[in-house]
Amino acid sequence: MRGIISKNTLYGLALLCALMPYTARAADPIGQVKTADGPVTVERGGASQPVAVGDHVFQSDVVVTAAGGSVGITFIDNSMMSLGPDSRLVLDNFKFDTTTHEGEFDSSLQKGTLAVKSGQIVKQTPEAMKIKTPAALLGVRGTEFVVRADEKK
Amino acid sequence: MSARALSRLAAAFGLLLLTGCNKNLVVVIPDTADGHVGAVVVESNGSKAVLDTAYAAATPGSGTLKPATSDAKEVKDIFGTALTAQPVAPSIYTLYFINDSEELTPESKPAFEKIFTDIQQRKAPEIVVTGHTDTVGDPAYNDRLSMDRAKAVSKLFIARGFPEASISVAGRGQRELLVQTAANKSEARNRRVEITVR
């Protein structure tokens, strides 16, 4: 073997890339803030920053509203989530293939109120969207519902 | 203790029994766009409930899940702010082109203009251009063809001044036929581009 990376590895990587041409990468935005009112912040990489309409959201973001705050997000599969005041939502895992519409959307409502309208991920694969709360696990078959989570369970 | 105070205490205790100290609540609501009622599966404490009727509800965290029903008023009282914060739902426009050219059919021209009116009414608008093909050719070829068409159409929006950063493209190939056909069937209604404004 001449190099550290063999020819076969390179072929394998090339094939892998060819097989998933349009799948969102971890650094790609997964949604965009469409409404924001009052105190709304996002926690990303250990820092907390205020949120405004037009901002993008990413996997692993934590969206937080304080008293009097609310925010609405449209995701790239057309699903929508909006938070009422005193709420905390973690966008744990988001995968979406725009060609096949296959994907996964896992989030956690740690406290507060959330309105959800599912999108193309659920249309393609019912229950591929899951929402955890301290007390329950929700599997979404579509399309619209509301959930309130008590921090204490 | 007066009878009135007693009745007040009883009412308060009744309310407490109903809700406990538990604020957890899940309610399926009719789709704000078309009234369609979907379903949510709730799992809690090893029990499972399928909510699939309008205002079907669950209060997880209080032992085994029991069927419950909410109503429009309760949903508005508790979730009013969250529901008001919902984004404007995405709109989808279908465009057709003359003989696979980049020229819109006469019927599609008003739809194309309507997209720009829609964009102006949204905050932070985005456009997704999605190409679709008929069943002529193999599926992998059609994936590429639909993507190429979507990219070509996205240029029409860039040319009209819509910011490129807010446009994305997708190719669905022959996965989402508007008119169901056999394989290798030429069908103009399936050769289309959908524009999602959101």
Side-chain angles (χ1 to χ4, degrees), chain B:
Chain B
M1 196 182 280
S2 76
R4 198 166 159 191
L6 258 178
S7 83
R8 263 200 210 138
L9 192 68
F13 189 64
L15 195 69
L16 193 70
L17 278 181
L18 203 66
T19 60
C21 299
N22 178 14
K23 286 202 292 187
N24 295 305
L25 178 64
V26 185
V27 187
V28 168
I29 61 173
D31 190 298
T32 39
D34 60 13
H36 171 81
V37 175
V40 173
V41 184
V42 183
E43 288 178 64
S44 177
N45 287 326
S47 59
K48 195 168 173 173
V50 180
L51 313 181
D52 59 0
T53 53
Y55 299 104
T59 54
S62 47
T64 307
L65 289 169
K66 290 177 204 73
T69 311
S70 183
D71 55 40
K73 189 190 176 298
E74 186 183 49
V75 167
K76 193 168 176 253
D77 287 348
I78 298 172
F79 299 98
T81 310
L83 286 166
T84 305
Q86 266 190 329
V88 178
S91 306
I92 295 170
Y93 302 85
T94 307
L95 301 179
Y96 293 91
F97 296 81
I98 295 170
N99 289 333
D100 291 340
S101 72
E102 282 174 39
E103 197 185 337
L104 290 161
T105 62
E107 296 77 30
S108 288
K109 279 179 182 160
F112 185 68
E113 293 308 318
K114 221 177 142 195
I115 292 168
F116 290 95
T117 317
D118 189 332
I119 288 167
Q120 283 162 6
Q121 287 159 2
R122 289 171 190 264
K123 292 172 183 169
E126 298 166 273
I127 290 176
V128 185
V129 183
T130 308
H132 298 273
T133 69
D134 59 22
T135 57
V136 174
D138 74 84
Y141 171 79
N142 284 333
D143 281 357
R144 287 194 297 277
L145 185 66
S146 60
M147 188 58 161
D148 290 345
R149 164 58 59 78
K151 283 177 181 163
V153 172
S154 73
K155 295 200 173 78
L156 298 178
F157 291 95
I158 297 164
R160 286 277 293 257
F162 193 80
E164 196 170 349
S166 299
I167 302 182
S168 53
V169 288
R172 288 274 279 156
Q174 58 182 63
R175 287 173 186 77
E176 208 174 315
L177 301 175
L178 196 65
V179 181
Q180 291 304 318
T181 67
N184 283 305
K185 177 95 171 81
S186 174
E187 170 55 66
R189 285 171 291 177
N190 286 335
R191 293 193 299 269
R192 69 201 194 277
V193 167
E194 283 177 348
I195 313 296
T196 305
V197 183
R198 69 184 179 207

Side-chain angles (χ1 to χ4, degrees), chain A residues 22 32 34-35 72 74 76 78 82 99-101 117 135-139 141-150 153, chain B residues 21 23-27 29 31-32 38-41 43-44 60 79 82 85-87 124 126 147 171-172 175 198:
Chain A
Y22 314 124
Q32 193 179 34
K34 301 295 187 184
T35 70
T74 301
I76 58 170
N78 287 346
S82 50
T99 298
T100 64
H101 285 185
K117 189 165 174 174
L137 177 65
L138 314 184
R141 293 184 185 168
T143 52
E144 210 161 334
F145 64 97
V146 289
V147 51
R148 181 169 66 176
D150 195 326
K153 184 169 177 173
Chain B
C21 299
K23 286 202 292 187
N24 295 305
L25 178 64
V26 185
V27 187
I29 61 173
D31 190 298
T32 39
V40 173
V41 184
E43 288 178 64
S44 177
F79 299 98
Q86 266 190 329
E126 298 166 273
M147 188 58 161
R172 288 274 279 156
R175 287 173 186 77
R198 69 184 179 207

